[in-house]
Amino acid sequence: LPVGADFTPASYLKTFTLHGVTSNLQFGLPQNYSLRVQGNVDTQKPGTYPVEYRVTYTEKNEIDPAKDQKFTGYSKLYVIVEG
């Protein structure tokens, strides 16, 4: 990215694949998904910045909510701010 550019971490995460089924994340998270993003990118300062993503899908058990299943995927993006 050029110095001063806008950076929205969630916009770089496009899909999540679970058991061979791919869900599109480009227009927001589908129901039963959650996203956690960690990392600080300072686009005012040249450098390399790691951004970590964690996407969790919760498969609801309507009969017994205590038996809900969670599936989590992780990804890392390295953002380079040009200097």
Side-chain angles (χ1 to χ4, degrees), residues 6-77:
D6 286 332
F7 175 68
T8 306
S11 69
Y12 286 82
L13 193 62
K14 306 293 184 198
T15 61
F16 181 83
T17 303
L18 174 64
H19 302 305
V21 177
T22 300
S23 297
N24 186 342
L25 304 177
Q26 286 182 285
F27 304 106
L29 293 174
Q31 187 175 355
N32 299 331
Y33 282 78
S34 63
L35 171 64
R36 187 175 120 210
V37 179
Q38 284 189 301
N40 294 314
V41 177
D42 183 353
T43 61
Q44 299 302 317
K45 182 179 175 187
T48 302
Y49 302 90
V51 178
E52 296 176 346
Y53 298 88
R54 182 181 78 187
V55 176
T56 301
Y57 168 72
T58 303
E59 191 171 87
K60 302 283 185 182
N61 184 317
E62 300 297 328
I63 297 169
D64 185 356
K67 293 183 179 177
D68 286 356
Q69 289 187 294
K70 294 184 183 263
F71 301 91
T72 302
Y74 300 88
S75 187
K76 186 178 269 189
L77 171 70

